[in-house]
Amino acid sequence: MRLRCAVLDDFQRVATRLADWSPLADRVDVVPYDTHFADEDALAAALADADIVVTLRERVPFPASLIARLPRLKLLIASGMRNSVIDYAAAEAHQVTVCGTASSSTPPVELTWALLLGLARGIVEESNALRTRGPWQSTVGADLHGRRLGLLGLGKIGGRVAQVGLAFGMEVSAWSQNLTRQRADEVGVRLAGSKEELLAESDFVSVHLALGDRTRGLLGPAELALLKPTAYLVNTSRAAIVDQDALLAALHEGRIAGAGVDVFDTEPLPADHPMRTAPRLLATPHLGYVSQANYATYYGQAVENIQAYLAGSPVRRLP
């Protein structure tokens, strides 16, 4: 019997183009979905006859309730080697094998700087004005050289963001609950004395932390109030690290110069979500990991995972 493999959230319709699925042609039918299933009922209906599911990052939760409604599901493949929205105990109980793929940290580093530079130099506003015969030069760009970049998190992504900041001639400082002076010295940045100190002194703040109990709501109203009125906040990590209502209030009230956001409390973002119309906001639809090389890795290794599973020797198993 042929197996059915559902590929979720293939918005750009590239899943079958950026990887060679031909090794599976004699056993597996690959069915990409280019729309997002917003609720569990719709998802369960779409995946009712799926033996294999390939899901992107952590956009689609697989709780116990959903897994129980997918009796044919035997293999679940997530992009990346960490996924907090899959119930691994439920998967094991229903004999569902869960595997992951490699994921490069380069694309989110690059997008972080695209947002930061776009904010600093008013790129979207100026480009739109030029294309619509609007005013010639309506903004005055914020300088990077000599300004302070504050990083919340100095892991693999934060460390590379720091290196770019140093190349721009910025003063770079970093803070996280586990950050050591040794790590800060390795990257060549200053270890901030506290989260509050980093926020108050920085001209640009960029978030590069994993979401967990200690980081959820890390930047709330009190923390955002510490930012300079000329400061910019960039978040390409997880939306829940920054209190979304507090951020919207700061933007609407002009208490910060602007924010660059790639992550949201609900994804895809609903049509009437206030983030779509917030002032001083440069927003992108969670593009941090979306690049040709990363997608080639995701889907190419998904094929490898399926081959290994069918051979009886699963690879890259999660958790």
Side-chain angles (χ1 to χ4, degrees), residues 60-97:
V60 180
F62 277 82
S65 56
L66 175 60
I67 292 173
R69 298 172 70 178
L70 304 176
R72 285 185 52 170
L73 181 62
K74 295 302 177 188
L75 177 62
L76 176 59
I77 300 171
S79 55
M81 291 301 294
R82 180 174 60 189
N83 193 298
S84 63
V85 298
I86 296 173
D87 189 323
Y88 295 106
E92 182 177 4
H94 288 83
Q95 298 183 309
V96 177
T97 299

PDB file of all heavy atoms in Angstrom, residues 60-97:
ATOM      1  N   VAL A  60       2.737  24.717  13.783  1.00  0.00           N
ATOM      2  CA  VAL A  60       1.573  23.842  13.951  1.00  0.00           C
ATOM      3  C   VAL A  60       1.759  22.966  15.184  1.00  0.00           C
ATOM      4  O   VAL A  60       2.612  22.082  15.199  1.00  0.00           O
ATOM      5  CB  VAL A  60       1.369  22.958  12.714  1.00  0.00           C
ATOM      6  CG1 VAL A  60       0.155  22.041  12.908  1.00  0.00           C
ATOM      7  CG2 VAL A  60       1.182  23.816  11.470  1.00  0.00           C
ATOM      8  N   PRO A  61       0.967  23.173  16.236  1.00  0.00           N
ATOM      9  CA  PRO A  61       1.066  22.325  17.420  1.00  0.00           C
ATOM     10  C   PRO A  61       0.550  20.905  17.132  1.00  0.00           C
ATOM     11  O   PRO A  61      -0.418  20.726  16.388  1.00  0.00           O
ATOM     12  CB  PRO A  61       0.176  23.022  18.449  1.00  0.00           C
ATOM     13  CG  PRO A  61      -0.018  24.413  17.929  1.00  0.00           C
ATOM     14  CD  PRO A  61       0.031  24.296  16.439  1.00  0.00           C
ATOM     15  N   PHE A  62       1.211  19.941  17.727  1.00  0.00           N
ATOM     16  CA  PHE A  62       0.746  18.559  17.668  1.00  0.00           C
ATOM     17  C   PHE A  62       0.548  18.073  19.105  1.00  0.00           C
ATOM     18  O   PHE A  62       1.344  17.303  19.640  1.00  0.00           O
ATOM     19  CB  PHE A  62       1.742  17.677  16.914  1.00  0.00           C
ATOM     20  CG  PHE A  62       1.583  17.731  15.425  1.00  0.00           C
ATOM     21  CD1 PHE A  62       2.152  18.771  14.703  1.00  0.00           C
ATOM     22  CD2 PHE A  62       0.845  16.783  14.728  1.00  0.00           C
ATOM     23  CE1 PHE A  62       1.993  18.854  13.332  1.00  0.00           C
ATOM     24  CE2 PHE A  62       0.682  16.860  13.357  1.00  0.00           C
ATOM     25  CZ  PHE A  62       1.257  17.892  12.652  1.00  0.00           C
ATOM     26  N   PRO A  63      -0.561  18.513  19.744  1.00  0.00           N
ATOM     27  CA  PRO A  63      -0.856  18.064  21.103  1.00  0.00           C
ATOM     28  C   PRO A  63      -1.400  16.640  21.094  1.00  0.00           C
ATOM     29  O   PRO A  63      -1.693  16.068  20.032  1.00  0.00           O
ATOM     30  CB  PRO A  63      -1.925  19.059  21.554  1.00  0.00           C
ATOM     31  CG  PRO A  63      -2.647  19.419  20.284  1.00  0.00           C
ATOM     32  CD  PRO A  63      -1.597  19.420  19.210  1.00  0.00           C
ATOM     33  N   ALA A  64      -1.577  16.091  22.277  1.00  0.00           N
ATOM     34  CA  ALA A  64      -2.089  14.723  22.395  1.00  0.00           C
ATOM     35  C   ALA A  64      -3.452  14.580  21.729  1.00  0.00           C
ATOM     36  O   ALA A  64      -3.745  13.551  21.098  1.00  0.00           O
ATOM     37  CB  ALA A  64      -2.175  14.346  23.869  1.00  0.00           C
ATOM     38  N   SER A  65      -4.290  15.618  21.852  1.00  0.00           N
ATOM     39  CA  SER A  65      -5.645  15.532  21.281  1.00  0.00           C
ATOM     40  C   SER A  65      -5.619  15.369  19.765  1.00  0.00           C
ATOM     41  O   SER A  65      -6.433  14.625  19.198  1.00  0.00           O
ATOM     42  CB  SER A  65      -6.445  16.780  21.657  1.00  0.00           C
ATOM     43  OG  SER A  65      -5.767  17.960  21.239  1.00  0.00           O
ATOM     44  N   LEU A  66      -4.678  16.054  19.089  1.00  0.00           N
ATOM     45  CA  LEU A  66      -4.584  15.929  17.644  1.00  0.00           C
ATOM     46  C   LEU A  66      -3.981  14.583  17.245  1.00  0.00           C
ATOM     47  O   LEU A  66      -4.487  13.911  16.338  1.00  0.00           O
ATOM     48  CB  LEU A  66      -3.741  17.063  17.058  1.00  0.00           C
ATOM     49  CG  LEU A  66      -3.452  16.984  15.555  1.00  0.00           C
ATOM     50  CD1 LEU A  66      -4.745  16.984  14.747  1.00  0.00           C
ATOM     51  CD2 LEU A  66      -2.537  18.115  15.113  1.00  0.00           C
ATOM     52  N   ILE A  67      -2.912  14.206  17.916  1.00  0.00           N
ATOM     53  CA  ILE A  67      -2.260  12.942  17.571  1.00  0.00           C
ATOM     54  C   ILE A  67      -3.232  11.775  17.701  1.00  0.00           C
ATOM     55  O   ILE A  67      -3.238  10.849  16.877  1.00  0.00           O
ATOM     56  CB  ILE A  67      -1.017  12.743  18.462  1.00  0.00           C
ATOM     57  CG1 ILE A  67       0.049  13.789  18.105  1.00  0.00           C
ATOM     58  CG2 ILE A  67      -0.440  11.335  18.305  1.00  0.00           C
ATOM     59  CD1 ILE A  67       1.249  13.809  19.024  1.00  0.00           C
ATOM     60  N   ALA A  68      -4.106  11.832  18.708  1.00  0.00           N
ATOM     61  CA  ALA A  68      -5.091  10.768  18.908  1.00  0.00           C
ATOM     62  C   ALA A  68      -6.101  10.693  17.767  1.00  0.00           C
ATOM     63  O   ALA A  68      -6.718   9.639  17.547  1.00  0.00           O
ATOM     64  CB  ALA A  68      -5.820  10.979  20.232  1.00  0.00           C
ATOM     65  N   ARG A  69      -6.262  11.797  17.036  1.00  0.00           N
ATOM     66  CA  ARG A  69      -7.232  11.830  15.930  1.00  0.00           C
ATOM     67  C   ARG A  69      -6.608  11.447  14.594  1.00  0.00           C
ATOM     68  O   ARG A  69      -7.270  11.531  13.566  1.00  0.00           O
ATOM     69  CB  ARG A  69      -7.831  13.235  15.843  1.00  0.00           C
ATOM     70  CG  ARG A  69      -8.598  13.636  17.084  1.00  0.00           C
ATOM     71  CD  ARG A  69      -9.016  15.102  17.070  1.00  0.00           C
ATOM     72  NE  ARG A  69     -10.058  15.370  16.080  1.00  0.00           N
ATOM     73  CZ  ARG A  69     -10.625  16.565  15.907  1.00  0.00           C
ATOM     74  NH1 ARG A  69     -10.225  17.593  16.666  1.00  0.00           N
ATOM     75  NH2 ARG A  69     -11.560  16.741  15.001  1.00  0.00           N
ATOM     76  N   LEU A  70      -5.341  11.061  14.616  1.00  0.00           N
ATOM     77  CA  LEU A  70      -4.635  10.708  13.379  1.00  0.00           C
ATOM     78  C   LEU A  70      -4.157   9.252  13.466  1.00  0.00           C
ATOM     79  O   LEU A  70      -2.972   8.980  13.632  1.00  0.00           O
ATOM     80  CB  LEU A  70      -3.449  11.653  13.171  1.00  0.00           C
ATOM     81  CG  LEU A  70      -3.775  13.151  13.143  1.00  0.00           C
ATOM     82  CD1 LEU A  70      -2.502  13.978  13.027  1.00  0.00           C
ATOM     83  CD2 LEU A  70      -4.735  13.476  11.995  1.00  0.00           C
ATOM     84  N   PRO A  71      -5.078   8.306  13.323  1.00  0.00           N
ATOM     85  CA  PRO A  71      -4.725   6.898  13.533  1.00  0.00           C
ATOM     86  C   PRO A  71      -3.717   6.343  12.531  1.00  0.00           C
ATOM     87  O   PRO A  71      -3.013   5.381  12.831  1.00  0.00           O
ATOM     88  CB  PRO A  71      -6.073   6.181  13.417  1.00  0.00           C
ATOM     89  CG  PRO A  71      -6.930   7.100  12.594  1.00  0.00           C
ATOM     90  CD  PRO A  71      -6.505   8.480  12.976  1.00  0.00           C
ATOM     91  N   ARG A  72      -3.615   6.963  11.359  1.00  0.00           N
ATOM     92  CA  ARG A  72      -2.677   6.445  10.355  1.00  0.00           C
ATOM     93  C   ARG A  72      -1.273   7.020  10.500  1.00  0.00           C
ATOM     94  O   ARG A  72      -0.321   6.517   9.910  1.00  0.00           O
ATOM     95  CB  ARG A  72      -3.189   6.737   8.939  1.00  0.00           C
ATOM     96  CG  ARG A  72      -4.340   5.831   8.514  1.00  0.00           C
ATOM     97  CD  ARG A  72      -4.743   6.050   7.074  1.00  0.00           C
ATOM     98  NE  ARG A  72      -3.625   5.982   6.116  1.00  0.00           N
ATOM     99  CZ  ARG A  72      -3.783   5.946   4.795  1.00  0.00           C
ATOM    100  NH1 ARG A  72      -5.012   5.986   4.276  1.00  0.00           N
ATOM    101  NH2 ARG A  72      -2.741   5.890   3.995  1.00  0.00           N
ATOM    102  N   LEU A  73      -1.150   8.083  11.270  1.00  0.00           N
ATOM    103  CA  LEU A  73       0.135   8.761  11.377  1.00  0.00           C
ATOM    104  C   LEU A  73       1.189   7.870  12.029  1.00  0.00           C
ATOM    105  O   LEU A  73       0.992   7.350  13.128  1.00  0.00           O
ATOM    106  CB  LEU A  73      -0.013  10.049  12.192  1.00  0.00           C
ATOM    107  CG  LEU A  73       1.263  10.888  12.369  1.00  0.00           C
ATOM    108  CD1 LEU A  73       1.775  11.376  11.022  1.00  0.00           C
ATOM    109  CD2 LEU A  73       1.004  12.065  13.302  1.00  0.00           C
ATOM    110  N   LYS A  74       2.317   7.717  11.346  1.00  0.00           N
ATOM    111  CA  LYS A  74       3.407   6.900  11.855  1.00  0.00           C
ATOM    112  C   LYS A  74       4.728   7.659  11.945  1.00  0.00           C
ATOM    113  O   LYS A  74       5.601   7.286  12.709  1.00  0.00           O
ATOM    114  CB  LYS A  74       3.599   5.657  10.962  1.00  0.00           C
ATOM    115  CG  LYS A  74       2.415   4.701  10.981  1.00  0.00           C
ATOM    116  CD  LYS A  74       2.128   4.226  12.409  1.00  0.00           C
ATOM    117  CE  LYS A  74       0.899   3.329  12.455  1.00  0.00           C
ATOM    118  NZ  LYS A  74       0.507   3.026  13.868  1.00  0.00           N
ATOM    119  N   LEU A  75       4.866   8.720  11.141  1.00  0.00           N
ATOM    120  CA  LEU A  75       6.120   9.480  11.129  1.00  0.00           C
ATOM    121  C   LEU A  75       5.809  10.966  11.053  1.00  0.00           C
ATOM    122  O   LEU A  75       5.117  11.419  10.140  1.00  0.00           O
ATOM    123  CB  LEU A  75       6.992   9.066   9.935  1.00  0.00           C
ATOM    124  CG  LEU A  75       8.305   9.831   9.750  1.00  0.00           C
ATOM    125  CD1 LEU A  75       9.228   9.641  10.939  1.00  0.00           C
ATOM    126  CD2 LEU A  75       8.996   9.386   8.455  1.00  0.00           C
ATOM    127  N   LEU A  76       6.330  11.730  12.033  1.00  0.00           N
ATOM    128  CA  LEU A  76       6.166  13.183  12.075  1.00  0.00           C
ATOM    129  C   LEU A  76       7.547  13.809  11.992  1.00  0.00           C
ATOM    130  O   LEU A  76       8.419  13.516  12.809  1.00  0.00           O
ATOM    131  CB  LEU A  76       5.468  13.597  13.379  1.00  0.00           C
ATOM    132  CG  LEU A  76       5.292  15.097  13.639  1.00  0.00           C
ATOM    133  CD1 LEU A  76       4.483  15.759  12.537  1.00  0.00           C
ATOM    134  CD2 LEU A  76       4.631  15.319  15.003  1.00  0.00           C
ATOM    135  N   ILE A  77       7.755  14.664  10.979  1.00  0.00           N
ATOM    136  CA  ILE A  77       9.055  15.284  10.751  1.00  0.00           C
ATOM    137  C   ILE A  77       8.923  16.789  10.948  1.00  0.00           C
ATOM    138  O   ILE A  77       8.112  17.451  10.289  1.00  0.00           O
ATOM    139  CB  ILE A  77       9.581  14.986   9.336  1.00  0.00           C
ATOM    140  CG1 ILE A  77       9.734  13.474   9.142  1.00  0.00           C
ATOM    141  CG2 ILE A  77      10.919  15.694   9.100  1.00  0.00           C
ATOM    142  CD1 ILE A  77      10.048  13.081   7.712  1.00  0.00           C
ATOM    143  N   ALA A  78       9.739  17.320  11.852  1.00  0.00           N
ATOM    144  CA  ALA A  78       9.752  18.753  12.114  1.00  0.00           C
ATOM    145  C   ALA A  78      11.056  19.341  11.620  1.00  0.00           C
ATOM    146  O   ALA A  78      12.114  18.725  11.746  1.00  0.00           O
ATOM    147  CB  ALA A  78       9.597  19.016  13.609  1.00  0.00           C
ATOM    148  N   SER A  79      11.024  20.529  11.047  1.00  0.00           N
ATOM    149  CA  SER A  79      12.262  21.188  10.650  1.00  0.00           C
ATOM    150  C   SER A  79      12.935  21.752  11.897  1.00  0.00           C
ATOM    151  O   SER A  79      12.297  22.360  12.749  1.00  0.00           O
ATOM    152  CB  SER A  79      11.992  22.292   9.626  1.00  0.00           C
ATOM    153  OG  SER A  79      11.049  23.215  10.119  1.00  0.00           O
ATOM    154  N   GLY A  80      14.241  21.512  11.998  1.00  0.00           N
ATOM    155  CA  GLY A  80      14.971  21.875  13.202  1.00  0.00           C
ATOM    156  C   GLY A  80      15.030  20.693  14.153  1.00  0.00           C
ATOM    157  O   GLY A  80      14.261  19.731  14.038  1.00  0.00           O
ATOM    158  N   MET A  81      15.958  20.769  15.097  1.00  0.00           N
ATOM    159  CA  MET A  81      16.137  19.668  16.044  1.00  0.00           C
ATOM    160  C   MET A  81      15.578  20.004  17.432  1.00  0.00           C
ATOM    161  O   MET A  81      15.904  19.354  18.418  1.00  0.00           O
ATOM    162  CB  MET A  81      17.627  19.310  16.157  1.00  0.00           C
ATOM    163  CG  MET A  81      18.192  18.666  14.905  1.00  0.00           C
ATOM    164  SD  MET A  81      17.336  17.128  14.422  1.00  0.00           S
ATOM    165  CE  MET A  81      17.775  16.055  15.803  1.00  0.00           C
ATOM    166  N   ARG A  82      14.710  21.002  17.483  1.00  0.00           N
ATOM    167  CA  ARG A  82      14.029  21.345  18.730  1.00  0.00           C
ATOM    168  C   ARG A  82      12.634  21.807  18.388  1.00  0.00           C
ATOM    169  O   ARG A  82      12.441  22.644  17.505  1.00  0.00           O
ATOM    170  CB  ARG A  82      14.798  22.442  19.467  1.00  0.00           C
ATOM    171  CG  ARG A  82      14.160  22.856  20.787  1.00  0.00           C
ATOM    172  CD  ARG A  82      15.053  23.830  21.540  1.00  0.00           C
ATOM    173  NE  ARG A  82      15.308  25.046  20.779  1.00  0.00           N
ATOM    174  CZ  ARG A  82      16.185  25.965  21.145  1.00  0.00           C
ATOM    175  NH1 ARG A  82      16.924  25.788  22.215  1.00  0.00           N
ATOM    176  NH2 ARG A  82      16.346  27.055  20.412  1.00  0.00           N
ATOM    177  N   ASN A  83      11.635  21.254  19.074  1.00  0.00           N
ATOM    178  CA  ASN A  83      10.258  21.631  18.784  1.00  0.00           C
ATOM    179  C   ASN A  83       9.450  21.534  20.075  1.00  0.00           C
ATOM    180  O   ASN A  83       9.313  20.453  20.648  1.00  0.00           O
ATOM    181  CB  ASN A  83       9.662  20.726  17.706  1.00  0.00           C
ATOM    182  CG  ASN A  83       8.361  21.278  17.155  1.00  0.00           C
ATOM    183  OD1 ASN A  83       7.387  21.424  17.893  1.00  0.00           O
ATOM    184  ND2 ASN A  83       8.335  21.562  15.859  1.00  0.00           N
ATOM    185  N   SER A  84       8.924  22.670  20.515  1.00  0.00           N
ATOM    186  CA  SER A  84       8.232  22.726  21.803  1.00  0.00           C
ATOM    187  C   SER A  84       6.729  22.510  21.691  1.00  0.00           C
ATOM    188  O   SER A  84       6.037  22.500  22.714  1.00  0.00           O
ATOM    189  CB  SER A  84       8.492  24.087  22.457  1.00  0.00           C
ATOM    190  OG  SER A  84       7.949  25.138  21.669  1.00  0.00           O
ATOM    191  N   VAL A  85       6.205  22.323  20.483  1.00  0.00           N
ATOM    192  CA  VAL A  85       4.750  22.212  20.327  1.00  0.00           C
ATOM    193  C   VAL A  85       4.316  20.799  19.930  1.00  0.00           C
ATOM    194  O   VAL A  85       3.172  20.583  19.542  1.00  0.00           O
ATOM    195  CB  VAL A  85       4.221  23.246  19.303  1.00  0.00           C
ATOM    196  CG1 VAL A  85       4.491  24.657  19.794  1.00  0.00           C
ATOM    197  CG2 VAL A  85       4.805  23.023  17.918  1.00  0.00           C
ATOM    198  N   ILE A  86       5.216  19.842  20.019  1.00  0.00           N
ATOM    199  CA  ILE A  86       4.888  18.444  19.783  1.00  0.00           C
ATOM    200  C   ILE A  86       4.816  17.727  21.126  1.00  0.00           C
ATOM    201  O   ILE A  86       5.733  17.829  21.946  1.00  0.00           O
ATOM    202  CB  ILE A  86       5.930  17.751  18.882  1.00  0.00           C
ATOM    203  CG1 ILE A  86       5.933  18.382  17.489  1.00  0.00           C
ATOM    204  CG2 ILE A  86       5.660  16.251  18.771  1.00  0.00           C
ATOM    205  CD1 ILE A  86       7.045  17.864  16.586  1.00  0.00           C
ATOM    206  N   ASP A  87       3.744  17.001  21.362  1.00  0.00           N
ATOM    207  CA  ASP A  87       3.611  16.206  22.582  1.00  0.00           C
ATOM    208  C   ASP A  87       4.316  14.874  22.339  1.00  0.00           C
ATOM    209  O   ASP A  87       3.753  13.953  21.755  1.00  0.00           O
ATOM    210  CB  ASP A  87       2.139  15.992  22.924  1.00  0.00           C
ATOM    211  CG  ASP A  87       1.948  15.357  24.302  1.00  0.00           C
ATOM    212  OD1 ASP A  87       2.764  14.490  24.672  1.00  0.00           O
ATOM    213  OD2 ASP A  87       0.973  15.704  24.983  1.00  0.00           O
ATOM    214  N   TYR A  88       5.562  14.794  22.785  1.00  0.00           N
ATOM    215  CA  TYR A  88       6.367  13.603  22.499  1.00  0.00           C
ATOM    216  C   TYR A  88       5.839  12.371  23.228  1.00  0.00           C
ATOM    217  O   TYR A  88       5.910  11.258  22.696  1.00  0.00           O
ATOM    218  CB  TYR A  88       7.826  13.859  22.882  1.00  0.00           C
ATOM    219  CG  TYR A  88       8.486  14.930  22.043  1.00  0.00           C
ATOM    220  CD1 TYR A  88       8.748  16.190  22.565  1.00  0.00           C
ATOM    221  CD2 TYR A  88       8.839  14.683  20.719  1.00  0.00           C
ATOM    222  CE1 TYR A  88       9.343  17.172  21.785  1.00  0.00           C
ATOM    223  CE2 TYR A  88       9.435  15.649  19.942  1.00  0.00           C
ATOM    224  CZ  TYR A  88       9.682  16.899  20.486  1.00  0.00           C
ATOM    225  OH  TYR A  88      10.274  17.869  19.717  1.00  0.00           O
ATOM    226  N   ALA A  89       5.293  12.559  24.422  1.00  0.00           N
ATOM    227  CA  ALA A  89       4.742  11.418  25.159  1.00  0.00           C
ATOM    228  C   ALA A  89       3.550  10.831  24.424  1.00  0.00           C
ATOM    229  O   ALA A  89       3.404   9.604  24.323  1.00  0.00           O
ATOM    230  CB  ALA A  89       4.350  11.850  26.569  1.00  0.00           C
ATOM    231  N   ALA A  90       2.695  11.711  23.885  1.00  0.00           N
ATOM    232  CA  ALA A  90       1.541  11.232  23.121  1.00  0.00           C
ATOM    233  C   ALA A  90       1.984  10.549  21.839  1.00  0.00           C
ATOM    234  O   ALA A  90       1.414   9.528  21.438  1.00  0.00           O
ATOM    235  CB  ALA A  90       0.613  12.403  22.800  1.00  0.00           C
ATOM    236  N   ALA A  91       3.007  11.106  21.192  1.00  0.00           N
ATOM    237  CA  ALA A  91       3.519  10.476  19.981  1.00  0.00           C
ATOM    238  C   ALA A  91       4.032   9.069  20.280  1.00  0.00           C
ATOM    239  O   ALA A  91       3.734   8.108  19.553  1.00  0.00           O
ATOM    240  CB  ALA A  91       4.638  11.332  19.383  1.00  0.00           C
ATOM    241  N   GLU A  92       4.772   8.931  21.369  1.00  0.00           N
ATOM    242  CA  GLU A  92       5.290   7.607  21.733  1.00  0.00           C
ATOM    243  C   GLU A  92       4.157   6.644  22.065  1.00  0.00           C
ATOM    244  O   GLU A  92       4.184   5.464  21.664  1.00  0.00           O
ATOM    245  CB  GLU A  92       6.233   7.734  22.929  1.00  0.00           C
ATOM    246  CG  GLU A  92       6.872   6.425  23.356  1.00  0.00           C
ATOM    247  CD  GLU A  92       7.840   6.592  24.493  1.00  0.00           C
ATOM    248  OE1 GLU A  92       7.968   7.718  25.018  1.00  0.00           O
ATOM    249  OE2 GLU A  92       8.488   5.590  24.870  1.00  0.00           O
ATOM    250  N   ALA A  93       3.139   7.158  22.773  1.00  0.00           N
ATOM    251  CA  ALA A  93       2.011   6.307  23.145  1.00  0.00           C
ATOM    252  C   ALA A  93       1.253   5.795  21.930  1.00  0.00           C
ATOM    253  O   ALA A  93       0.695   4.683  21.956  1.00  0.00           O
ATOM    254  CB  ALA A  93       1.072   7.080  24.071  1.00  0.00           C
ATOM    255  N   HIS A  94       1.233   6.593  20.860  1.00  0.00           N
ATOM    256  CA  HIS A  94       0.528   6.198  19.642  1.00  0.00           C
ATOM    257  C   HIS A  94       1.482   5.632  18.592  1.00  0.00           C
ATOM    258  O   HIS A  94       1.115   5.503  17.429  1.00  0.00           O
ATOM    259  CB  HIS A  94      -0.243   7.390  19.068  1.00  0.00           C
ATOM    260  CG  HIS A  94      -1.446   7.769  19.870  1.00  0.00           C
ATOM    261  ND1 HIS A  94      -1.371   8.570  20.990  1.00  0.00           N
ATOM    262  CD2 HIS A  94      -2.758   7.437  19.726  1.00  0.00           C
ATOM    263  CE1 HIS A  94      -2.589   8.736  21.494  1.00  0.00           C
ATOM    264  NE2 HIS A  94      -3.440   8.062  20.750  1.00  0.00           N
ATOM    265  N   GLN A  95       2.705   5.328  19.010  1.00  0.00           N
ATOM    266  CA  GLN A  95       3.713   4.715  18.140  1.00  0.00           C
ATOM    267  C   GLN A  95       4.010   5.577  16.910  1.00  0.00           C
ATOM    268  O   GLN A  95       4.151   5.075  15.790  1.00  0.00           O
ATOM    269  CB  GLN A  95       3.281   3.311  17.717  1.00  0.00           C
ATOM    270  CG  GLN A  95       3.132   2.358  18.906  1.00  0.00           C
ATOM    271  CD  GLN A  95       2.772   0.964  18.486  1.00  0.00           C
ATOM    272  OE1 GLN A  95       1.816   0.744  17.719  1.00  0.00           O
ATOM    273  NE2 GLN A  95       3.520  -0.008  18.982  1.00  0.00           N
ATOM    274  N   VAL A  96       4.100   6.882  17.156  1.00  0.00           N
ATOM    275  CA  VAL A  96       4.474   7.832  16.104  1.00  0.00           C
ATOM    276  C   VAL A  96       5.945   8.191  16.300  1.00  0.00           C
ATOM    277  O   VAL A  96       6.329   8.696  17.358  1.00  0.00           O
ATOM    278  CB  VAL A  96       3.610   9.109  16.148  1.00  0.00           C
ATOM    279  CG1 VAL A  96       4.082  10.111  15.094  1.00  0.00           C
ATOM    280  CG2 VAL A  96       2.140   8.765  15.950  1.00  0.00           C
ATOM    281  N   THR A  97       6.757   7.947  15.303  1.00  0.00           N
ATOM    282  CA  THR A  97       8.164   8.324  15.340  1.00  0.00           C
ATOM    283  C   THR A  97       8.298   9.806  14.986  1.00  0.00           C
ATOM    284  O   THR A  97       7.698  10.273  14.019  1.00  0.00           O
ATOM    285  CB  THR A  97       8.983   7.477  14.351  1.00  0.00           C
ATOM    286  OG1 THR A  97       8.872   6.097  14.716  1.00  0.00           O
ATOM    287  CG2 THR A  97      10.448   7.883  14.357  1.00  0.00           C
TER     288      THR A  97
END
